[in-house]
Each structure stands twice: as structure tokens, then as C-alpha cells.
């Protein structure tokens, strides 16, 4: 360590909130260059490369073939799929010296599709799985948590190309298996959740989430094994009811009821029925805009009044359209929108598309706005008094909600997305006419799968799951070194010689070793050993004269004494156990 | 190969001129995505990774430590060194969603300097050598020859940081040794030439050029070991002469002498002396502009009339200034410039800086323009009739010129720049105040070296040196596979089974194998084996029934028969020889 390019920091970096960010900076693994843009110092790069190699081995094991695309990409292929426009401000765009438009690749569906089209022609060529491990770029609005959500990051992305839907299912299953093996080898605690497809369009889709309180993704799971990210949770619709037996809708004068709570209180005071927020129908006004369009369209969403609208769920449901809340000027331009008292009637008679939560089924009766200030209507019945234009998964998902698989109630947790597998289908094959010539000489349209692993993000995800108050605690499979040898003295020549000899023996035994031979106090060295997180720490201290070394397990904190004689073999056996 | 993502092409790509480009595309190693931007298909990526690993091993062997910087870099550090401006149109610039200026790193001096400054403080920390193997970007005006000069490419760049000039010399020598070992292991034929420093400023500088007729760099060498790229060649100045004994300058009316040749003819016809082009002084007008400046300045260069001005040498000498030829409007704006008849007198009396070739020394007499249409002056003597403002290495270097080391004459050759080592000195340390605290508590300014290897370019450079009319011929150290097994039949089940068994045995013996198990004719398979260039080809053919295999050495074309029994061991021994 006296010549290692490494300086540890005693203080957390000012911009760090999550443990992995704090510790990876303090322990000298990464350094910030710009928002969401990081340098990898020697130890960080070692961990990154070890993870990369495990990902590579598992991809090779399913017969995937590695290639590498450029990160600098011309506009045209992304124009063909409309993603040049759809990505909006989320990608980096640039011009070359001749004015040609380029982007920094955020994902490579277009290039993979075009490349397979360029090389392959016959049905005999398929199926094929290709992958790359490559630096990608996204101009995130809010890069956060160090390398957890960066703007330049390392990803493994692979694509499967199959002749049939069954083939796609097999390729998908292969990836699912490879991902499970990969994340197991990395020692991660993770869940596989049903997922929406994001901007890529398609059908079957699952995310691998590393469980972590600091994760950005919220997911839910039920007792029967159901798990989904909140964007993907489907709300079981209750059975439709008869509209015949319901009381007539009545408009009430409800002064001073700007909120659901005040409305419910008012009705419970001024009528002889008991209402709860769940009996009210809250209508939320949004506007949406299709990619490339200049025009916004109004959209109204009705949800039970006891639930908030979850914008992430709305956005996932409306992708690739852009979604925004209404501003004052939008209300001014549409005077039929009586803020706080909006009901289905004014919306639908003014041509606003009105979609509702799946719980709002035929025959249910609701308290909602009467399109007039200080007035609400009670017993507005679906299928009798109004008919929504469709349903949408917009209402927040809550712990305690029934699990869609009927096995009980959901619990909520947070995770970090580390992998995504996903049946793209024929979207990109259609965009580029990727066909194979079939055995009957007729073209067969190829169907694709898309599969990603956030390789650099994994460094942070593992650190989030594997640290304590003293520092990082790397699983053996990804640790920057196998063994950390601490010479527990500032300058004692025998101990220095002993430490150097031991390190040489360990290396001769095939282990990678970091030797703390700095002329620093034992306390500083012990603290740094804890901070760096190498799984096995060997202390060369006073016991050496009696032929003893101290061994410490970083994860458990267990200490033991071993004989100096044969120490390299003892430690090698431990590391390889 | 029946499932390998590879399709070979029978035809050369239309845009390819040099052999490496043609063959790497035909053999399915790389594919073009945009000008100077390529994808690596499976075989190409394997070769690239093998080269990368050799480079890494040799860097590690000199104690260099690997790190990795981002490619997406903020403007500020490049502003501090003025390179944001100096690079002109040669870098890719972009803005993020918040309007911040970024560039795609063409080279990383700034980041390395800032990073060392961030981590290190004491003289005890030094020296240190850091390196990265990283994708770099340059917006080349003329990307050419496939991956030979790309706009996205893989480079190893390293930097040394030393306390003293002697330390820098040692770091430089270490790199020189590492580069020699690297290029030797890669089987390259190369020369080490003295070089100019390019845009980076500094002192000692050498380039490693792979000898190749298709190379962009011209270099010269003398019989005594002198070698330099043409930009770096210094012209030995002849001794100054007395001005006393020279005839007076006389202006001649020289009608119809627009060229040096017609002028010499005219004088040889109309005077009784004999002139050659070497007796004339040709004055070439250029304009130069400092980086960031809007204003062009005129510059006149005088060279002996038997030599052209070499713009690459001029540009190298004037860097970082921009250089351009005069346009008609420039002549119009400066009527004292009488095109074809420009002489020192009008230039210097009108304030144009006038620099000359080192051969134009005091006491030499010249025929040159008389600043008047159809007139030239004879016997214009340096130091008597005019005094240049300085010298410049502008004249072309020719085979047959005297070697600057006095050992004989130069010969010229062409090469591909594959490495550059270079003593930067304190330019970047000065820009960012990179100091170490010395033993006396006084700051010591750090001195740096900069060292590059074009990793992706090496794939092409090796291919340029190692191919024949049938295809690529890889040196063992970088071949995509150790052995190419050809099943010399379209569908014979015994031969297919025999080929598969042999391939499995070879892999079990630790060799990497490509097996041609395609249902294609032997002719197609043999042609592809030659094209792909794996060094050892094993043919599984009719001899198999008699327990025989055919072995072919791709480089020499030698064929031999070996026993099927023990074939894996025989071949493994050959590969590892």
C-alpha cells in the first residue's frame, strides 16, 4: 500500500447520501468527475472487472456470443424506430464536424437488429444470442448515489433472435437462469419481480431487484410468491354490480369542502349516511403529449379518494407519451374544469378522455364533483350515470392491498434494479424488416428478447448489501484482493520483513494480496483494512516471534490465531473454501 | 462455425483501400457503423482483447497501476489548459440537458493530473505511473482505412509523475522498454523514430511505427541508426559564407517564367551562367491563426526552389496555431504580394514575418522574385541584401538527403504509428499547480510523461503486416483461436463426428478451437480458413479412416500429416512451441 494509488478519506463526501456512495468514495474506489460521471481508481476497477468477468462467464455458458458496438452512434437507426424523438432529453446528442447527428448509445436494440440483418439470412442461422459489455450513456435528470445511477455506466446488454415465440420463451428462460446464477455468484440478496416494459415495448418482462432500503424501485410481494414492481401491479377488479337497485344521484351543496377529508366530514355531518374517503371518486387532471408532437391533450384519471395517483405508474402505463400535471393556465383555458369539483359529466361532455381505476366497476356508486363550485354529487353510479372511457393502473399500491394472485395481502419493499429480462417481440424486427428466409422460401419475421445487467451499478448494489459501520465487506467472488496483510507496526524491520515474506508466499500460492507496508500506526492500518473490505485480514504483529499470525474474518469479525509455518496454505484453503 | 456469428464476404467492401481494412471486413472481424466508427464482431473482439491483455501485462510489469476515467468529460479542466479551444473541430463536444458543456475525451492529461493532485500530497507518494485502456474519441477530418484511423478507438494511455527530471527519464525508459516488449510479443516489425510532440508540448518524444507501405506516417532513417518521422527531421545548416566576395544583386526582366523550371530555363538561355532549381529561393505565402483568435496573420516561408513545402512539417512546427494557404481574396487584400514574383523585400517592408529553410544561411546567393510582375533578382545575398526573421523546418525531406547524424544519406519509408512516448514536462502540472510537499516542506512541481498505444489500431497494423492474397495470417499471440479444425466434407457423418471429437480433445488440452462444421463444400471451408487467418489449420478428411489428419501452417503454407492418435498433444505442443 506504500505505493498503491489509494488514499482513504476519514470524512464522508458532502454529496453522498447512501452508504455505498459514502464508502466507495471514502475507501478510494471511485472519484466523481461530473454529476453522474465517475473515475474508477485501482481498487474500484478490480471489483468492476471481477463482476464483469462473472457476468461474461454466465453469458458464455448459455451460448451467447460477445461482440462490441460503438457508443457513438448515428441518428438514422434511432430515427427509424422513433427513439431519437422518444428519448427526449434523456440521451446525449451531438453533432460531428460535418453537422451529422449522433447520439451516445443508451441501449442498442437498433444496432443489434441491423447487425443481425446484415449477417444472417436463412432460418438455419437462428436462433442466436449476442451480447456486449459496454459503456452506456443516459442524460439522467437526477443522477444520484454515486455509481448507482450514473450518466456514464457499464452495462451488459444482450439480445436474442428467434424464429418463433416458443424460441423466444426458451431464450428468455436461458437468460433468467444465467441471471440467477450470476447474482447468486455475486452473493446478492435479490427478488425477481414482474415489470413493465419501459420505453421498449413488448410483453413478458421481469426485473431483478437487489433488496435495499436505499433502492429507487418499490416493489410488492404476496405470500404466495407474487412479486412485482409497483408499476406492474395489476389491481383485481371487484365484480360488477347491478345498477337497478341503486339510489338516484343527488347533488349536494357542500360549502368549504376543498379536500376529500373535509368533504367526508361534511357529508357525515349533514346526511344520515356514513361515508369514507374510499366512497369518493377523485378526478385528477393531467396532460399528455405523444413523442414528437407539439400538442398536449387533456386526460382525466378517476381513483378512489383514499388513494393518491402514483405518477410512476401513470407514466409507465402511458409510455412513450410524456405526462404532466395541469398548470393554472390550463385550467384558465378550460373553464369547464371547476378545480376541486370536477366530475365525469363536464369532462366527457367536453371531450376529455376519462379513464378510471379498475375498482370503479359498473354498478358502484360514488361521491364526486358536480362541476360547480361548492357542489358534489352523491350516488353517481357507473354504467347508469356515466361510463368511463377505459381503465388505468394509476392509484398507488399499498402494503396490505390484496395480492393479485389471491394468496393474501401485499407487503412493500425497496430494491435496486440490477437486471431486466424482457420479451421485446417483433417491434424492432418490424422497424428494420428483419426476416429469415424460411425452409419454404417465405420470409419469417424474427422475434427478439432484450436482457440487461447494470455491471457498474452492481458494484454499488453489492456495497449497499454488504457493509457495516466500519466499511465495506466484499463477498470473496468480487473482492479487490483475496487477502489484506497488515503489518501491525509503524517501522519494526522484523515485522516489515515478515509481512513482505508472507505476502510473497501468499502470492506464490495464487492469491491476490494487498500488503499494508505503510509507515503508519497500527490503528490507522486496522481502520483502513476495515474500510477497504477485503474478506480476510492477516495481522503480522508481536506474535510473529512466537511463530503466530492473527487472522480476521472481515464479515463476521471473528479472530483466530494461526501458525506462521504453512500460513500460506492455511489461508489459501480458507479463501478457496 | 455453424452457430458462430460470422459471415465471410467474397467481395472487398467498396470503401476499403488498404489490405487490413478489406480483410478485416471480409473475414467478419469488424463492421462499419458510421465514418470511422466500427462494431467488433466475435473474432475481431477476441483479437482486440488478446492485444489489450498483452499491453496490460507489460504495463503492470513496470509497476503501472490501472485506473479508468470516463469518456464523457466536463469542459472546465480542458478550459484550464486551453485545449477546449486548441482542439478546434477535432473533438466531439456536446451539451447535457442543463446546458453544461462536455467533450468526449480524446486524451486524458487533464484528468490524470487532477486525479493525482486530488490523491497525493507528499514527496513520499512519488513516483507513480497510472494507465487506462479506454475508448477515446476524435472527430478526425478524414477517418480512413477502417479501424486504422477511427473516430472511436481503444487506447492505452499512461502518465508518469516524477519529482525530478531524472525520475522522468527513468519513467520514460521504463515505458520504452515496456513498449519494445509489447510490440515484440505482438510479432510486429517496427521502428522507433524521433518525433515532434504534437499538440501536447514538451521535450523528448519518440514514436513507434509499424513498418507498412500503407502507413500514413513517413519516416526517414540513416545508416548510423538515426530515424525520425519527417516532421522531426532537422536540416543540417551549411556553414555561413562571406558576403564580401559576392556579385551585386541584379534585377532581370524574366517574361513568361511562371514556374521555377521556366525561370531556370530563361536564365540559362539569357545569361552566361548555369542555374538549377536549387539556386532559386521560392517564397510560399501562408496564413496562421492562434487557437481562440479570430485573426489570421500572414507568414512567408522561403525554401530552395528544388523542394516543395511539406505542410505537415510546417504544421508540426507551428502547433498549436492553425495554418492555411492564401486564397485569392488574401492576395487581393495585400497588393504588395505579386503572385509568382514575391521577394523578401516587399514581404519585410510590409511587415510580413519571413522565415526560411535552414539551408538559406548568411552569404548564400539566390535567384528570387523582384516583387514586380515578370521580374526576378539574381544574386540576392543573405546577410547583405536581406535578413530572414528566423528559420523553419518546412522543406520536404527526401531520400538521399544527408542524415543529420552525419553517417550518410537518408532513406524514406512509411509506417503506422502504434505507440508514442513522450516527456511532457511540467506543462500540465503548471496548469493545475500539481506540487508535492518536499522533505523540506517546500513544494516540488511534478514533471510528467505521457505514453500511448493505439490498441484497436494494432489489430489493423498487425493485419497490414501479416496477410497474403488469401487472407489474414495472425501471429499466435493474438490469433482469435489457436486452431482451426476443418471438416473436409459437406455432410459425411463419420468426418463430422471425427471433427467434433478432435475439437473437444483440443479444447480439453487447453487450446481454443474454431470448428468448421458447416454443411458446406470443402472448397468453401478451406477458403474461409485461409481468410480468417488462424495460424494452425487441421483438416479432418479422408485420411481419418487410416488414422491420419492433415496439418497446415497458415503462415508458411507447409502441410504435414499427423497421427490421429495423440493429435491433441501433438498440436498443443506445436501451438505452445
Amino acid at each position: 500500500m506504500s505505493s498503491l494509488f489509494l488514499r482513504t478519506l476519514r470524512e464522508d463526501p458532502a454529496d453522498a447520501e447512501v452508504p455505498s456512495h459514502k464508502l466507495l468514495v471514502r475507501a478510494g474506489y471511485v472519484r466523481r468527475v461530473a454529476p453522474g460521471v465517475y473515475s474508477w481508481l485501482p481498487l474500484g476497477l478490480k471489483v468492476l472487472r471481477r463482476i464483469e468477468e462473472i457476468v461474461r462467464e454466465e453469458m458464455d455458458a448459455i451460448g451467447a456470443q460477445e461482440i462490441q458496438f460503438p457508443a457513438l452512434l448515428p441518428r438514422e437507426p434511432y430515427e427509424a424506430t422513433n427513439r431519437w424523438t422518444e428519448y427526449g432529453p434523456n440521451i446525449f446528442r451531438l453533432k460531428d464536424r460535418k453537422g451529422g447527428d449522433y447520439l451516445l448509445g443508451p441501449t442498442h436494440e437498433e444496432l443489434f437488429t441491423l447487425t443481425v440483418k446484415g449477417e444472417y439470412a436463412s432460418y438455419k442461422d437462428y436462433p442466436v444470442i449476442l451480447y456486449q459489455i459496454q459503456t452506456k450513456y443516459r442524460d439522467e435528470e437526477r443522477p444520484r448515489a454515486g455509481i448507482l445511477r450514473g450518466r456514464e455506466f457499464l452495462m451488459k446488454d444482450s439480445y436474442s433472435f428467434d424464429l418463433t415465440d416458443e424460441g423466444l420463451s426458451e431464450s428468455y428462460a436461458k437468460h433468467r437462469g444465467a441471471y440467477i446464477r450470476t447474482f447468486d455468484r455475486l452473493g446478492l440478496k435479490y427478488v425477481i419481480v414482474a415489470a413493465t416494459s419501459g420505453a421498449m415495448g413488448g410483453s413478458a418482462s421481469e426485473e431483478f431487484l437487489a433488496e435495499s432500503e436505499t433502492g429507487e424501485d418499490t416493489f410488492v410481494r404476496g405470500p404466495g410468491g407474487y412479486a412485482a414492481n409497483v408499476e406492474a401491479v395489476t389491481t383485481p377488479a371487484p365484480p360488477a354490480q347491478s345498477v337497478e337497485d341503486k339510489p338516484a344521484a343527488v347533488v349536494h351543496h357542500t360549502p368549504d369542502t376543498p379536500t376529500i377529508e373535509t368533504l367526508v366530514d361534511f357529508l357525515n355531518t349533514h346526511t344520515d349516511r356514513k361515508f369514507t374517503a374510499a366512497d369518493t371518486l377523485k378526478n385528477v387532471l393531467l396532460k399528455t403529449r405523444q413523442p414528437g408532437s407539439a400538442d398536449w391533450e387533456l386526460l382525466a384519471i378517476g381513483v378512489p379518494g383514499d388513494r393518491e395517483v402514483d405518477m410512476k405508474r401513470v407514466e409507465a402505463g402511458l409510455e412513450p407519451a410524456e405526462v404532466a400535471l395541469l398548470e393554472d393556465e390550463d385550467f384558465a383555458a378550460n373553464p369547464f374544469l371547476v378545480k376541486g369539483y370536477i366530475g365525469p359529466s363536464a369532462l366527457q361532455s367536453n371531450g376529455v378522455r376519462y379513464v378510471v381505476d379498475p375498482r370503479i366497476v359498473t354498478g358502484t356508486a360514488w361521491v364526486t364533483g358536480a362541476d360547480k363550485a361548492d357542489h358534489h354529487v352523491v350516488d353517481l353510479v357507473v354504467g347508469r350515470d356515466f361510463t368511463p372511457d377505459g381503465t388505468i393502473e394509476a392509484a398507488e399500491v399499498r402494503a396490505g392491498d390484496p395480492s393479485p394472485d389471491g394468496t393474501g395481502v401485499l407487503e412493500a419493499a425497496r430494491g435496486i434494479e440490477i437486471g431486466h429480462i424482457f420479451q421485446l417481440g417483433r417491434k424492432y424486427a418490424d422497424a428494420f424488416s428483419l426476416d429469415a428466409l424460411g425452409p419454404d422460401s417465405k420470409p419469417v419475421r424474427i422475434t427478439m428478447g432484450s436482457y440487461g445487467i447494470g455491471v457498474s451499478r452492481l458494484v454499488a448494489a453489492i456495497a449497499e448489501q454488504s457493509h457495516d459501520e466500519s466499511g465495506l465487506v466484499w463477498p470473496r467472488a468480487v473482492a479487490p484482493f483475496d487477502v489484506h496483510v497488515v503489518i501491525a507496526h509503524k517501522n519494526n524491520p522484523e515485522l516489515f520483513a515478515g509481512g513482505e515474506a508472507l505476502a510473497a508466499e501468499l502470492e506464490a500460492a495464487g492469491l491476490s494480496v494487498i500488503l499494508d507496508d505503510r509507515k503508519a500506526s497500527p490503528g490507522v492500518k486496522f481502520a483502513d483494512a476495515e474500510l477497504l473490505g477485503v474478506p480476510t485480514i492477516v495481522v503480522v504483529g508481536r506474535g510473529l516471534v512466537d511463530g503466530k499470525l492473527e487472522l480476521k474474518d472481515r464479515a463476521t469479525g471473528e479472530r483466530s490465531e494461526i501458525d506462521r509455518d504453512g500460513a500460506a496454505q492455511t489461508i489459501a484453503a480458507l479463501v478457496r473454501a
Side-chain angles (χ1 to χ4, degrees), chain A:
Chain A
M1 280 178 74
S2 58
S3 60
L4 182 64
F5 188 64
L6 170 75
R7 287 299 172 267
T8 57
L9 310 175
R10 292 286 154 254
E11 303 293 325
D12 288 333
D15 63 335
E17 286 169 11
V18 304
S20 65
H21 186 188
K22 290 177 188 173
L23 290 171
L24 289 169
V25 171
R26 278 189 49 207
Y29 282 67
V30 300
R31 289 290 180 261
R32 181 183 178 279
V33 170
V37 179
Y38 282 77
S39 299
W40 296 87
L41 298 190
L43 298 196
L45 189 58
K46 281 178 199 288
V47 174
L48 181 68
R49 291 279 177 256
R50 293 197 74 180
I51 294 173
E52 182 182 328
E53 197 49 36
I54 289 171
V55 171
R56 179 173 287 118
E57 286 171 11
E58 295 299 338
M59 290 308 299
D60 290 344
I62 60 166
Q65 301 182 54
E66 187 174 4
I67 64 177
Q68 180 126 51
F69 285 116
L72 180 67
L73 299 172
R75 169 178 178 160
E76 291 69 23
Y78 288 80
E79 196 67 74
T81 56
N82 202 34
R83 295 212 295 180
W84 176 264
T85 304
E86 280 176 19
Y87 268 114
N90 296 310
I91 54 172
F92 290 102
R93 295 178 175 80
L94 65 159
K95 283 185 187 293
D96 74 358
R97 64 196 294 153
K98 290 178 178 157
D101 280 317
Y102 287 80
L103 60 90
L104 299 182
T107 167
H108 280 71
E109 281 79 2
E110 285 82 354
L111 272 284
F112 273 95
T113 311
L114 283 169
T115 300
V116 171
K117 185 180 163 81
E119 306 299 315
Y120 275 3
S122 160
Y123 74 97
K124 295 177 195 160
D125 297 330
Y126 293 90
V128 65
I129 298 173
L130 301 175
Y131 77 100
Q132 59 172 350
I133 298 178
Q134 197 230 21
T135 304
K136 296 209 178 314
Y137 297 86
R138 288 187 198 160
D139 197 358
E140 295 281 351
E141 191 171 0
R142 279 177 291 275
R144 69 179 277 277
I147 54 172
L148 209 47
R149 178 173 290 279
R151 298 197 295 171
E152 173 173 318
F153 52 97
L154 190 65
M155 240 186 99
K156 186 284 297 176
D157 53 331
S158 50
Y159 298 87
S160 61
F161 298 84
D162 280 279
L163 296 165
T164 62
D165 293 347
E166 295 70 36
L168 171 55
S169 294
E170 278 171 41
S171 297
Y172 184 89
K174 276 188 189 173
H175 274 89
R176 200 174 195 274
Y179 279 35
I180 288 171
R181 286 185 290 278
T182 301
F183 298 133
D184 285 350
R185 286 178 67 183
L186 295 175
L188 281 161
K189 200 176 159 201
Y190 62 94
V191 290
I192 306 175
V193 303
T196 52
S197 56
M200 291 178 281
S203 49
S205 173
E206 289 171 290
E207 281 175 7
F208 290 72
L209 301 181
E211 294 185 46
S212 166
E213 283 172 21
T214 58
E216 275 193 305
D217 288 275
T218 305
F219 67 95
V220 292
R221 51 186 158 193
Y226 174 86
N229 74 21
V230 290
E231 288 89 334
V233 173
T234 51
T235 307
Q241 302 173 23
S242 164
V243 300
E244 304 295 324
D245 54 349
K246 298 291 181 307
V250 177
V251 173
H252 289 248
H253 180 228
T254 54
D256 298 327
T257 56
T259 65
I260 300 283
E261 197 188 354
T262 50
L263 171 62
V264 168
D265 279 352
F266 182 93
L267 292 175
N268 286 344
T269 311
H270 293 82
T271 70
D272 51 9
R273 285 162 62 186
K274 284 294 161 206
F275 293 89
T276 71
D279 299 317
T280 67
L281 172 61
K282 177 161 67 179
N283 296 309
V284 175
L285 264 292
L286 301 172
K287 51 186 181 179
T288 69
R289 183 161 69 174
Q290 294 304 317
S293 164
D295 300 327
W296 291 96
E297 250 181 68
L298 292 182
L299 177 73
I301 294 178
V303 295
D306 62 334
R307 287 180 190 262
E308 297 302 322
V309 164
D310 180 335
M311 284 300 284
K312 280 178 100 171
R313 278 166 56 78
V314 172
E315 284 165 6
L318 297 175
E319 263 184 329
E322 205 178 337
V323 185
L325 295 169
L326 287 209
E327 291 157 35
D328 284 345
E329 60 192 61
D330 298 308
F331 282 100
N334 294 288
F336 62 91
L337 298 174
V338 186
K339 226 174 163 179
Y341 302 91
I342 297 169
S345 168
L347 293 170
Q348 295 190 297
S349 60
N350 285 284
V352 177
R353 189 171 147 73
Y354 179 55
V355 290
V356 298
D357 183 83
R359 293 174 190 84
I360 298 162
V361 292
T362 297
T364 53
W366 301 92
V367 178
T368 190
D371 296 315
K372 197 166 133 188
D374 294 336
H375 287 76
H376 283 91
V377 57
V378 175
D379 291 324
L380 201 71
V381 172
V382 182
R384 181 189 75 186
D385 302 323
F386 73 104
T387 303
D389 298 319
T391 60
I392 187 169
E393 292 289 352
E396 58 178 331
V397 175
R398 290 196 297 232
D401 283 347
S403 177
D405 65 359
T407 59
V409 297
L410 296 173
E411 62 164 22
R414 298 184 75 80
I416 299 164
E417 185 186 338
I418 51 177
H420 190 184
I421 56 175
F422 170 42
Q423 298 189 14
L424 265 181
R426 297 183 174 81
K427 172 176 170 174
Y428 290 93
D430 286 342
F432 297 108
S433 302
L434 174 60
D435 292 325
L437 200 63
D440 55 1
S441 294
K442 285 186 184 152
V444 180
R445 183 63 34 108
I446 296 301
T447 183
M448 291 167 57
S450 161
Y451 316 90
I453 290 180
V455 179
S456 50
R457 175 180 286 180
L458 277 170
V459 178
I462 294 169
E464 281 296 324
Q465 287 192 352
S466 199
H467 68 270
D468 59 23
E469 62 287 349
S470 307
L472 297 160
V473 185
W474 293 111
R476 284 208 189 285
V478 302
F481 295 95
D482 295 320
V483 186
H484 190 134
V485 177
V486 176
I487 299 171
H489 199 280
K490 197 168 171 177
N491 51 25
N492 179 304
E494 282 80 37
L495 293 187
F496 271 67
E500 282 159 21
L502 176 68
E505 283 175 39
L506 290 167
E507 284 182 345
L511 302 182
S512 61
V513 181
I514 177 169
L515 170 67
D516 195 345
D517 58 351
R518 294 175 298 169
K519 292 189 178 3
S521 75
V524 165
K525 293 182 182 181
F526 291 140
D528 275 347
E530 302 274 301
L531 180 59
L532 297 189
V534 172
T536 299
I537 300 168
V538 187
V539 182
V540 180
R542 288 176 192 171
L544 188 66
V545 294
D546 305 319
K548 297 292 181 190
L549 298 169
E550 189 183 87
L551 213 60
K552 183 176 172 186
D553 183 301
R554 175 65 186 93
T556 63
E558 269 173 54
R559 291 157 188 276
S560 55
E561 207 174 62
I562 61 165
D563 289 336
R564 174 64 185 85
D565 282 355
Q569 284 62 45
T570 309
I571 295 166
L574 180 81
V575 168
R576 296 194 178 116

